[in-house]
Amino acid sequence: MGELSGQVPLLLKKEDEFDHIKKIPVLVSSTIKVIMWVIFIAWATFISILPIKFVNEQQFRFIQATQGTIFGSTGSVFLMFSLPIFMIAFLAIVRLILNGEDERQVCRKKNAKGPNFSLWTFPVLVDGPFGVVTAAEMIGIMLFAGYIVWAVIMYTIQNVDLLSSFHMQDMKEKSALLLELTGFRFGFIGLVCLAFLFLPVARGSVLLRAIDIPFEHATRYHVWLGHLTMALFTLHGLFYVICWAMRGRLLEELVDWKNEGVANLPGVISLTAGLLMWVTSLPGVRRKNFELFFYTHQLYVVFVVFLALHVGDFIFMIAGAGIFLFMLDRFLRFFQSRKTVDILSTTCFPCGTVELVISKPANLNYNALGWIFLQIRELSWLQWHPFSVSSSPLDGKHHLAILIKGLGDWTKKLKGNILNLSVEQSEKAPLLQHNKKIIASVEGPYGHESPYHLTYENLILVAGGIGISPFLAILSDILHRINDSKPCLPRNILIVWAIKNSDELPLLDTVDMEAICPLFSEKLNLEIQTFVTRESQPTLEEGRVPKAMHPSISPGFKGCRMSSLVGTGNVVWSGLYVIVSTIGLVITVALVDIFYINAFNVYYWWYKGLLLIGSMVASVLIFGGLVIALWHLWDRKTSSKEESDDATKKVDVLQQKNEISLHKSFGEGRFVNNIRYGQRPDLQEMFASHAKIWGNVDIGVLVCGPPTLQSSVAKECRRQNLQRSGHQAIFHFNSHSFDL
């Protein structure tokens, strides 16, 4: 006993030393995060004080002083506006690598001393043009609005002072000059907003991953910034048009293409493309004719290229970093989407929902709250549609599942193709089945960097209709973690599901809870409340599930998996892709400047803008393409070990799903314990009662459904938090809806 007791301190000492070593990356990661914030605040401060006359003059002098260098004025603007973004991106890569996949760090309890409010999860606006806005988002909106007002006021004062120095007597010419100066200022402010515009739509961006903003949230910021940017550019063009009309030179100025200075015609073309995108993206147009919105939005290429021709290279570099990072993401998405993917199985539910099980490589990790973009070539070569993943990454390494509700033309055609394919295969010989299959392409998966649903001990999941899909993934993920003794905080879960008809109930059976975790009821307090709003009583067919149909299970199975070359995939390779491409951009621009622009004294602004765009494209294709090629070779080499038994594993997965489907077909839907007909959920009563039961805790509220449901849930979270007194629960609002 003495010997054993003497060994214990040594063991504890070694464990403490090991924990101390593990804390070093966390400390370095925290330091990098602070540095990133310092750089961003310094950069934002510089932009905000630019409207001050003294700072503006110093900036102009710095640009003038660098004209004789290799990079010229473009280099100086790059240092001031684009370099900070790239520095933050590089630091974000290092931080993501250091963070790794430490599940204990991800799933740690946030507030050991009690519940606390969070700016990111406290809704302050629930109704209005912005939808549901949290406190953190409201701060961002106010800062942007404050900058716009501040810049307009300061630039107006400068314009008036500049106008007084001309000593003009003609009031008409004086007014025209004031309009011209004002239009110029609006154009510059629009370029500053454009510097942010493309960052949120880079789906696999290391910047978004570093601050853990998923693309479905970032898309909202892109929409807000898009409206603001186009409003500023519209004012920019409108003031110039009025000015030219007052001078009687409207047509001449509109078609003017200056070689030195700003070229007007490219600006007109760029603004026209932007206006088309803006008008078709308005909610009334987008919701009624999504395809029109989708196709006209591809005019962003015209918008960007002709903007570069309009302002030249050094002015374009104000927004160059964000545009370049978007180009990198777009090229990687293009490469991933070229690969066709096997649809391992399909299941048609009586409510018109289709489940697709898609083949994926084992080394492609994703979050339970993930999204993919899907293209079915039989339906359209251009349309890509987003769907939330309905399976947990722990369900299997070689597949993921999505649920698709037949709501629009595209989804209804998909369901019809699957039904027709299953009928054809049932009538033909099995040896001919491999001639018929669904050809799909996939982009993603995308989503949160960390599984934030695992950081709450208490969860309320509110879904409307097909919005149950991501919550099935959450439920499966939690059950797997409990069964495998992995870090997982959730212990109390309430699922509130509102559906129109009872034929949607079988969707819950896609998660076989007892098969995943036989004793889950001992460790998880799970309550499911389903509300069937359009039926007053249960139907005779309730709970019956049709047998699954698998048109792609055949001897012709080719083993085509999703590509693992995705921005949210391997952190090292995706980071190397960004770094090498950015260095390649600097090298390419330097070579063009040394051997062409400076050597041949090229001074045309529009031409230098075109050369800058060409340098961006070349660096993405050459340097980025080289990294992608090496990444692809590495991926093939690392996955070659599992290729031999990969097909067997996939077939086993499909056979397992068949057995589960057959089991469910005769099941009784025992997991839906509380079904109410002809009612809608009373969120106020539910939230209040569970807050009383669970006590003084943080409650994570996740909602997935239409905007009206999001607003209702956000309003109730805000109500409960504002009325909170004493030791009561705090509700944290989180939305998992993609409202494009």
Side-chain angles (χ1 to χ4, degrees):
M1 177 66 72
E3 293 178 358
L4 290 175
S5 61
Q7 291 177 0
V8 171
L10 294 176
L11 293 175
L12 290 176
K13 183 177 180 181
K14 291 181 180 179
E15 185 176 352
D16 292 340
E17 290 177 353
F18 179 72
D19 291 339
H20 177 71
I21 294 174
K22 287 183 66 177
K23 291 180 180 179
I24 295 178
V26 177
L27 180 62
V28 176
S29 176
S30 301
T31 304
I32 291 175
K33 183 179 180 180
V34 172
I35 296 174
M36 290 168 60
W37 273 108
V38 170
I39 295 174
F40 176 77
I41 293 173
W43 177 65
T45 303
F46 166 73
I47 292 177
S48 64
I49 64 176
L50 266 181
I52 300 176
K53 185 177 180 180
F54 173 76
V55 178
N56 200 359
E57 291 175 350
Q58 295 302 316
Q59 179 208 17
F60 181 74
R61 290 175 182 174
F62 177 69
I63 293 175
Q64 291 291 110
T66 58
Q67 286 186 352
T69 60
I70 295 177
F71 295 99
S73 302
T74 307
S76 59
V77 177
F78 174 84
L79 291 175
M80 290 184 288
F81 291 94
S82 293
L83 182 61
I85 296 296
F86 287 122
M87 291 176 62
I88 295 173
F90 293 170
L91 291 172
I93 294 168
V94 178
R95 186 166 182 267
L96 288 172
I97 294 175
L98 289 174
N99 287 345
E101 298 179 1
D102 189 353
E103 289 186 337
R104 297 187 182 277
Q105 182 74 11
V106 170
C107 301
R108 70 186 185 279
K109 192 170 183 177
K110 291 182 179 180
N111 305 309
K113 298 182 180 179
N116 287 317
F117 289 103
S118 172
L119 294 177
W120 284 104
T121 59
F122 189 95
V124 292
L125 291 181
V126 296
D127 295 310
F130 296 103
V132 178
V133 179
T134 64
E137 293 170 340
M138 177 56 68
I139 292 174
I141 292 173
M142 293 176 63
L143 289 175
F144 256 99
Y147 165 75
I148 300 299
V149 174
W150 155 260
V152 169
I153 293 174
M154 295 303 296
Y155 283 137
T156 301
I157 295 174
Q158 293 182 34
N159 290 342
V160 173
D161 292 341
L162 184 62
L163 194 64
S164 62
S165 65
F166 285 99
H167 303 290
M168 292 182 180
Q169 300 298 325
D170 188 355
M171 289 302 298
K172 182 178 179 180
E173 181 60 28
K174 196 172 185 179
S175 300
L177 181 58
L178 181 60
L179 288 171
E180 186 176 7
L181 291 173
T182 306
F184 171 77
R185 301 300 191 183
F186 274 117
F188 175 77
I189 299 173
L191 281 172
V192 172
C193 294
L194 186 65
F196 295 90
L197 180 62
F198 284 89
L199 293 175
V201 285
R203 298 171 189 165
S205 170
V206 292
L207 295 176
L208 298 180
R209 295 179 64 189
I211 56 181
D212 199 16
I213 294 182
F215 90 94
E216 72 269 17
H217 290 187
T219 302
R220 299 173 69 226
Y221 310 149
H222 171 75
V223 172
W224 299 347
L225 286 168
H227 290 311
L228 177 60
T229 303
M230 285 312 305
L232 292 169
F233 280 153
T234 301
L235 290 174
H236 163 72
L238 183 61
F239 277 110
Y240 270 101
V241 166
I242 297 174
C243 167
W244 295 334
M246 292 177 62
R247 291 173 175 170
R249 292 180 49 83
L250 179 59
L251 293 179
E252 293 89 340
E253 292 288 353
L254 287 176
V255 298
D256 185 41
W257 194 313
K258 298 183 183 71
N259 290 327
E260 193 169 0
V262 174
N264 295 339
L265 183 57
V268 173
I269 297 173
S270 178
L271 181 58
T272 302
L275 288 174
L276 286 173
M277 290 190 292
W278 190 23
V279 171
T280 56
S281 66
L282 296 176
V285 179
R286 185 183 71 245
R287 291 170 184 169
K288 292 181 179 179
N289 198 332
F290 181 83
E291 291 187 9
L292 178 63
F293 154 76
F294 179 82
Y295 293 132
T296 54
H297 231 63
Q298 309 311 310
L299 291 173
Y300 74 86
V301 178
V302 177
F303 173 78
V304 169
V305 171
F306 279 90
L307 176 64
L309 298 178
H310 173 55
V311 299
D313 55 342
F314 74 97
I315 298 179
F316 180 79
M317 190 50 73
I318 294 175
I323 293 174
F324 183 71
L325 290 176
F326 171 76
M327 291 170 63
L328 288 175
D329 180 77
R330 190 66 191 87
F331 181 62
L332 189 58
R333 285 163 45 197
F334 173 81
F335 191 90
Q336 185 194 27
S337 64
R338 294 307 92 194
K339 186 174 183 180
T340 57
V341 181
D342 281 331
I343 302 296
L344 299 181
S345 70
T346 62
T347 304
C348 290
F349 292 90
C351 59
T353 298
V354 175
E355 182 189 46
L356 301 184
V357 179
I358 303 172
S359 174
K360 81 170 195 69
N363 62 348
L364 179 58
N365 299 318
Y366 66 95
N367 196 321
L369 285 170
W371 294 79
I372 66 168
F373 279 76
L374 184 69
Q375 177 206 55
I376 304 295
R377 298 187 179 181
E378 288 85 355
L379 304 181
S380 174
W381 280 79
L382 297 177
Q383 292 187 43
W384 290 82
H385 293 261
F387 299 100
S388 57
V389 178
S390 61
S391 62
S392 164
L394 300 178
D395 283 333
K397 295 182 178 180
H398 298 275
H399 73 283
L400 61 80
I402 59 174
L403 292 174
I404 302 175
K405 182 67 177 292
L407 298 174
D409 294 337
W410 188 89
T411 52
K412 290 179 180 178
K413 289 179 182 178
L414 174 61
K415 179 189 174 184
N417 282 18
I418 292 174
L419 292 175
N420 294 336
L421 193 59
S422 63
V423 171
E424 291 179 10
Q425 290 191 356
S426 63
E427 295 175 352
K428 294 182 180 181
L431 295 178
L432 299 178
Q433 288 186 8
H434 67 277
N435 295 326
K436 291 286 187 178
K437 61 186 302 184
I438 300 175
I439 300 176
S441 296
V442 176
E443 288 183 4
Y446 305 106
H448 281 273
E449 182 66 20
S450 60
Y452 71 91
H453 62 280
L454 299 177
T455 61
Y456 297 105
E457 187 173 346
N458 309 278
L459 286 173
I460 296 179
L461 312 179
V462 184
I466 195 60
I468 194 66
S469 178
F471 299 155
L472 297 176
I474 288 178
L475 184 57
S476 177
D477 194 55
I478 292 174
L479 291 172
H480 276 292
R481 289 177 177 275
I482 292 176
N483 188 64
D484 299 339
S485 300
K486 294 192 175 201
C488 178
L489 281 181
R491 286 298 180 266
N492 301 304
I493 301 178
L494 167 65
I495 298 179
V496 182
W497 188 26
I499 56 178
K500 295 179 180 179
N501 301 298
S502 58
D503 58 4
E504 297 183 54
L505 291 174
L507 295 179
L508 285 175
D509 290 337
T510 57
V511 178
D512 193 337
M513 295 192 287
E514 290 188 349
I516 296 174
C517 185
L519 302 177
F520 74 90
S521 58
E522 298 179 1
K523 300 181 180 179
L524 183 66
N525 178 23
L526 175 63
E527 181 182 356
I528 303 176
Q529 296 192 19
T530 305
F531 296 82
V532 185
T533 60
R534 293 188 178 179
E535 295 179 6
S536 58
Q537 59 185 359
T539 60
L540 295 177
E541 293 81 10
E542 179 185 333
R544 293 183 60 188
V545 183
K547 294 177 65 175
M549 293 166 289
H550 307 290
S552 60
I553 304 175
S554 67
F557 178 78
K558 297 181 179 179
C560 297
R561 309 169 303 173
M562 294 169 53
S563 173
S564 59
L565 276 64
V566 58
T568 53
N570 188 285
V571 178
V572 175
W573 277 108
S574 58
L576 191 64
Y577 171 64
V578 174
I579 294 174
V580 172
S581 299
T582 305
I583 296 174
L585 173 63
V586 176
I587 294 174
T588 304
V589 171
L591 293 176
V592 172
D593 283 345
I594 295 172
F595 295 104
Y596 187 66
I597 293 179
N598 296 335
F600 294 94
N601 194 26
V602 176
Y603 62 90
Y604 291 180
W605 281 28
W606 67 267
Y607 188 48
K608 292 172 70 174
L610 182 62
L611 290 175
L612 178 59
I613 289 290
S615 298
M616 287 183 169
V617 174
S619 61
V620 171
L621 295 178
I622 298 173
F623 293 91
L626 176 62
V627 175
I628 288 178
L630 295 175
W631 186 357
H632 179 65
L633 292 175
W634 175 85
D635 182 64
R636 290 185 59 183
K637 183 178 179 180
T638 54
S639 61
S640 60
K641 297 180 181 179
E642 63 185 37
E643 287 294 336
S644 58
D645 60 339
D646 197 28
T648 303
K649 290 182 179 180
K650 289 175 182 176
V651 171
D652 290 343
V653 168
L654 299 178
Q655 291 175 349
Q656 182 181 2
K657 288 186 69 62
N658 275 330
E659 294 173 0
I660 293 175
S661 297
L662 289 173
H663 170 72
K664 292 174 185 173
S665 298
F666 299 99
E668 299 178 354
R670 57 187 179 280
F671 301 129
V672 183
N673 296 322
N674 192 353
I675 305 177
R676 303 178 184 180
Y677 292 85
Q679 300 182 31
R680 295 183 180 275
D682 186 348
L683 295 177
Q684 182 176 356
E685 187 277 331
M686 289 181 182
F687 280 38
S689 61
H690 283 78
K692 185 177 181 180
I693 294 172
W694 292 342
N696 184 30
V697 295
D698 287 305
I699 299 179
V701 180
L702 281 71
V703 58
C704 184
T708 53
L709 179 63
Q710 297 178 51
S711 298
S712 299
V713 174
K715 189 178 298 183
E716 190 55 40
C717 289
R718 186 181 63 179
R719 183 209 303 271
Q720 295 290 338
N721 290 337
L722 292 178
Q723 295 179 353
R724 178 179 182 266
S725 60
H727 298 286
Q728 294 181 356
I730 294 178
F731 291 84
H732 298 268
F733 175 82
N734 299 273
S735 175
H736 188 72
S737 300
F738 187 64
D739 301 324
L740 183 60

